[in-house]
Amino acid sequence: MMRVKAIVSLACMVIVGAASAQEPESPREFPGLRRNAHFLGAPGPGQSWEQWLALMGEYRQAVRARLSETGKPFDDAIYGREDLEWMTRNFVCGFLFVYDRSFWNPERREYDVEGLCDYAAREFGGYDSVVLWQAYPRIGADERNQFDFFRDMPGGLAGVRDVSRRFHARGIKVFIPYNPWDTGTRREEVADELALANLVSALEADGIFLDTMVAAPDGLRQAVDAARPGVAFEPELHPAVAEMQICSGSWAQWFQAWPEVGVLHLKWLEPRHMQHQIRRWDRSHQAELAAAWLNGSGILVWENVFGSWNPWNAADRASLRRMTPVLRHYADLFIDGRWLPYYPAQVESVYASCWESPDARLWTVVNLTERKVNDVVLEIDPRGQLFFDLWNGRRLEPESVGGKARVKLELERFGAVAAVSADRQDDAFRQLLQHQQREAERPVPVADDDPHTAAASVVEPQSPPQLPAAVPASAADMLRCAPVARQFKVRHMRRECGCYPDPATAEDRWPEFLTGTPHDRAIEHRVEVTLPAYSIDPRPVTNGEFEAFMKATGYSPACRDKFLHHWAGTTCPAAIRDEPVVYVDLADARAYAAWARKRLPTEWEWQHAAETHQGAIAHERVFEWTESERDDGHTRFVLLRGGCRHQAEGSIWYFPGGPQPVDSHAKFILLDGGLDRCSTIGFRCVSLTSE
């Protein structure tokens, strides 16, 4: 049985993640250190920097020498493994929602790995790794488990393995996620740790992101090492010190604020432990960038949050583009150099960290004054070295006073200073300077002129197909709905993926609808709609009816993955002829409707009919496709109506299953046929009628 430390709400995530960071030493042993669950603070009143730094060193040694869980010294063997060394240099990780158009092009039906890598290089300075997020928030819509989602992605496991290889060709490592809360879907024939190991091997993945977890499950390291060496583990929540012996990275997510930014607790104890700063819903990432910069640590770039577009603004992207090459160039210093946090700065509310080795020194600087600084920021022992402004890529000429080099900087938010011996200025260093000069000269667009942040409106759905005016003969058993102008109310659970703004909503309030936070709250839509007279099928289209369409037209979809999977062949089994047809995607349903001289209902036509005819509308056996499809240019989605027999139990993160009220809908994010076709989704049709 695996040890699973999973949390079931975001509020609990933060609390438990903070609690897990409490370490064995009593505060009485180190009364001169201020800390919270995630950070160590700056020197306190009356405490010199030298005294504080010595105490920090003693603290590190004491914790590493004695762990409460075992009473044994910290075992850093995982950080000495050559196959896992890449994790210590994994500074920029891109969170890729596989449904995003930048990853999967639905028109060409192909993965755009190279285009995405070019985009990342242009906007962020490039990724060192990516997380391929495949299941949530779609998981639970049918019986498929988290591993099945990779199997059913375009091209199957072989297609995703090719994606990994294409990322590897660009020097980018690939993480896959593990959702420990996924216990209510189809079970694998082996335990999860073995299923994960097999999947990592099949996909040639390099890391496992441990969703909602503070620790790796028991047995996972052994199983994965046997299947594919060199795979790193990275929990979402803040692990305990002892867990760093298994997980060589972790997210620095929603960390408690610290006025002076703070020294990352885990990073201080083990400088080779990589932490990725992330606050997924923030509009500005300046605080995350500051924490990463002063700690020589990493950033998670996450813009498509489970179907909600939350782009990085131009200033944040420009800052990361200047940080990224410095972090990579000085990776060895961050790993093995002497770290001097809170290096004394000469300007109040300006903070610096220093890393030094016999050959080089680096200072990263953050300005928290809310004003531009143009002053002497650092006083440094010159040691016969040359000084460079690494933020702008130019040589510095410090003033020498009292044997100190007084380094003057022009600082807006961030800065960097390097001290280098004349004989250590190699081609790589000169190229770094040239890159920083180019970035310093690169225009940063203002918000209104920044195409990167653009998204198409999803206030209105795509227009449905036109219907023929005449009612087809087959419409005799359809239910008539009189024309109506009314307000519809419909309830939508956010589930971290948001929805669409109501048409009357002012644009400055759109984020209230588009974002997925708070995840456990509902959105209540109120939409004014005018509907003409129409007729609607009283029940979903059956397998037998769909087979008649197939025979009449010879229909064959562009993607056949999972198409009519439940038939287990080309002919409908007699036992299910009168059951609702499933394993059809939106295009399949539209093709049938067009053949029948009908179309799919809009969600308002569906709701109006269900409320008007009540029990005459069968709507609890399968969810149903509607003509309420939307596309913001990043994610395509459609609103499902009805409900279904299937309901995944055991987690709040699952897609809402079971019977649903007629005044509710579910946001279903679209990718491609094999993943979009479900055992729980069918459709019905509407046609126009005359009064």
Side-chain angles (χ1 to χ4, degrees):
M1 193 62 143
M2 292 198 310
R3 171 190 55 170
V4 175
K5 297 183 179 178
I7 315 303
V8 295
S9 77
L10 289 176
C12 291
M13 282 184 188
V14 178
I15 296 170
V16 175
S20 69
Q22 302 303 323
E23 300 306 334
E25 68 285 343
S26 163
R28 289 189 297 273
E29 295 182 59
F30 297 93
L33 291 184
R34 299 181 299 134
R35 61 168 293 205
N36 63 23
H38 308 118
F39 291 110
L40 293 154
Q47 187 179 35
S48 72
W49 179 67
E50 291 78 9
Q51 290 172 331
W52 174 84
L53 194 61
L55 194 61
M56 287 278 283
E58 294 171 10
Y59 174 76
R60 174 194 282 162
Q61 292 177 357
V63 174
R64 288 177 63 97
R66 170 173 54 83
L67 297 177
S68 64
E69 292 91 338
T70 64
K72 299 177 181 179
F74 183 82
D75 181 359
D76 64 356
I78 194 172
Y79 299 96
R81 283 177 48 170
E82 185 176 349
D83 61 338
L84 288 171
E85 184 183 12
W86 66 269
M87 188 64 179
T88 65
R89 292 165 167 77
N90 179 21
F91 292 106
V92 183
C93 180
F95 189 106
L96 303 186
F97 192 54
V98 302
Y99 303 84
D100 193 285
R101 283 178 169 273
S102 67
F103 179 70
W104 171 255
N105 185 306
E107 286 77 30
R108 297 201 305 265
R109 297 199 62 252
E110 63 184 23
Y111 297 109
D112 190 11
V113 173
E114 290 72 27
L116 192 149
C117 291
D118 292 342
Y119 159 85
R122 181 177 66 250
E123 301 297 340
F124 305 107
Y127 295 147
D128 299 304
S129 65
V130 293
V131 180
L132 300 183
W133 190 269
Q134 87 293 9
Y136 176 79
R138 279 268 309 267
I139 191 167
D142 61 7
E143 302 85 357
R144 285 178 288 190
N145 64 37
Q146 58 187 301
F147 309 109
D148 291 328
F149 271 72
F150 276 118
R151 297 178 182 119
D152 289 347
M153 282 177 62
L157 295 183
V160 183
R161 179 171 61 249
D162 181 64
V163 165
S164 293
R165 291 174 177 175
R166 290 159 68 184
F167 276 120
H168 292 160
R170 299 291 288 260
I172 298 171
K173 300 291 187 178
V174 175
F175 281 82
I176 61 171
Y178 171 56
N179 310 119
W181 45 265
D182 177 24
T183 59
T185 56
R186 188 188 73 82
R187 295 297 82 211
E188 294 286 306
E189 294 180 358
V190 297
D192 277 7
E193 66 268 27
L194 293 177
L196 265 176
N198 294 337
L199 187 63
V200 162
S201 178
L203 300 182
E204 297 181 8
D206 310 286
I208 300 175
F209 164 61
L210 302 171
D211 178 43
T212 74
M213 302 182 77
V214 296
D218 283 337
L220 184 61
R221 173 52 66 194
Q222 293 86 342
V224 170
D225 280 352
R228 179 173 168 81
V231 176
F233 300 163
E234 184 162 351
E236 178 180 6
L237 306 184
H238 197 272
V241 170
E243 194 60 29
M244 288 198 297
Q245 300 170 117
I246 301 171
C247 299
S248 53
S250 58
W251 279 13
Q253 180 176 225
W254 292 314
F255 274 12
Q256 296 180 29
W258 197 269
E260 310 90 15
V261 180
V263 178
L264 286 171
H265 184 233
L266 298 184
K267 176 77 172 173
W268 176 251
L269 296 175
E270 175 46 77
R272 293 169 292 182
H273 183 80
M274 178 57 69
Q275 290 186 277
H276 291 110
Q277 298 287 327
I278 174 61
R279 298 183 70 88
R280 66 183 74 163
W281 293 114
D282 283 13
R283 298 290 180 178
S284 168
H285 298 283
Q286 292 289 296
E288 296 147 73
L289 290 165
W293 196 227
L294 287 181
N295 285 277
S297 195
I299 283 284
L300 185 75
V301 175
W302 190 353
E303 297 189 292
N304 192 328
V305 187
F306 308 128
S308 293
W309 180 239
N310 188 30
W312 275 48
N313 65 51
D316 291 347
R317 302 195 313 272
S319 295
L320 183 55
R321 285 197 302 270
R322 293 212 227 178
M323 289 181 182
T324 298
V326 176
L327 292 169
R328 291 171 181 153
H329 185 86
Y330 285 95
D332 288 341
L333 264 188
F334 298 129
I335 296 166
D336 297 321
R338 185 187 180 209
W339 183 10
L340 306 173
Y342 288 121
Y343 190 93
Q346 305 303 304
V347 178
E348 186 177 359
S349 296
V350 171
Y351 297 93
S353 276
C354 175
W355 289 265
E356 60 179 17
S357 72
D359 299 323
R361 289 179 290 171
L362 171 71
W363 290 261
T364 58
V365 185
V366 173
N367 173 20
L368 299 182
T369 65
E370 304 298 331
R371 60 179 175 82
K372 186 174 181 179
V373 169
N374 186 4
D375 206 342
V376 173
V377 174
L378 300 172
E379 289 190 348
I380 301 171
D381 178 2
R383 299 184 191 175
Q385 294 176 313
L386 304 178
F387 289 84
F388 296 86
D389 175 355
L390 280 192
W391 196 253
N392 296 294
R394 58 186 177 86
R395 174 84 179 272
L396 292 170
E397 299 289 350
E399 180 185 10
S400 180
V401 177
K404 296 288 186 181
R406 291 170 53 83
V407 178
K408 183 178 181 180
L409 295 175
E410 293 184 15
L411 278 178
E412 292 188 358
R413 179 70 170 184
F414 302 109
V417 174
V420 183
S421 300
D423 60 351
R424 294 288 179 175
Q425 297 178 54
D426 56 13
D427 288 342
F429 185 76
R430 285 188 284 272
Q431 290 172 10
L432 173 63
L433 291 178
Q434 292 169 6
H435 176 276
Q436 297 301 82
Q437 289 171 9
R438 290 193 298 270
E439 282 299 327
E441 296 168 358
R442 179 174 169 178
V444 178
V446 298
D448 291 341
D449 296 325
D450 185 6
H452 177 89
T453 62
S457 171
V458 291
V459 171
E460 297 290 349
Q462 297 177 8
S463 298
Q466 292 294 315
L467 279 170
V471 180
S474 61
D477 63 343
M478 297 179 77
L479 300 173
R480 293 169 63 88
C481 297
V484 67
R486 55 166 287 199
Q487 183 185 82
F488 286 90
K489 297 179 182 179
V490 62
R491 188 173 183 270
H492 168 84
M493 284 302 298
R494 285 184 188 273
R495 300 179 56 253
E496 291 190 277
C497 56
C499 200
Y500 56 77
D502 294 349
T505 306
E507 192 167 347
D508 61 355
R509 291 188 52 219
W510 283 10
E512 297 175 22
F513 295 85
L514 294 173
T515 59
T517 182
H519 78 285
D520 56 350
R521 304 282 178 84
I523 297 171
E524 185 177 87
H525 292 289
R526 295 172 180 265
V527 180
E528 301 286 344
V529 178
T530 298
L531 299 176
Y534 64 98
S535 294
I536 189 167
D537 292 338
R539 52 166 173 71
V541 172
T542 67
N543 288 288
E545 290 167 333
F546 199 85
E547 184 180 42
F549 154 67
M550 295 278 290
K551 290 178 178 179
T553 64
Y555 174 75
S556 180
C559 169
R560 294 193 61 85
D561 296 347
K562 292 290 181 180
F563 180 57
L564 300 175
H565 177 69
H566 60 312
W567 287 15
T570 58
T571 303
C572 173
I576 62 170
R577 289 187 61 81
D578 295 330
E579 292 289 317
V581 66
V582 291
Y583 286 112
V584 288
D585 67 9
L586 192 54
D588 302 330
R590 284 171 172 161
Y592 173 94
W595 168 76
R597 299 182 64 206
K598 304 177 185 180
R599 64 163 167 79
L600 304 182
T602 67
E603 63 169 325
W604 311 122
E605 289 169 340
W606 191 100
Q607 183 173 338
H608 180 56
E611 291 175 341
T612 300
H613 294 284
Q614 298 184 8
I617 296 283
H619 62 83
E620 294 184 346
R621 302 180 73 180
V622 291
F623 276 109
E624 299 174 35
W625 298 115
T626 71
E627 281 297 351
S628 291
E629 182 186 1
R630 288 167 166 83
D631 184 348
D632 67 357
H634 303 277
T635 311
R636 300 174 302 130
F637 65 94
V638 67
L639 280 306
L640 301 183
R641 287 302 190 122
C644 66
R645 295 167 174 171
H646 170 76
Q647 184 169 13
E649 302 284 356
S651 175
I652 63 169
W653 305 117
Y654 282 130
F655 193 88
Q660 299 292 317
V662 296
D663 60 349
S664 70
H665 65 200
K667 179 180 178 181
F668 189 87
I669 298 170
L670 299 167
L671 182 74
D672 197 58
L675 208 58
D676 294 349
R677 294 184 178 112
C678 297
S679 66
T680 55
I681 303 178
F683 67 97
R684 75 180 72 214
C685 299
V686 298
S687 64
L688 290 178
T689 58
S690 57
E691 286 300 300

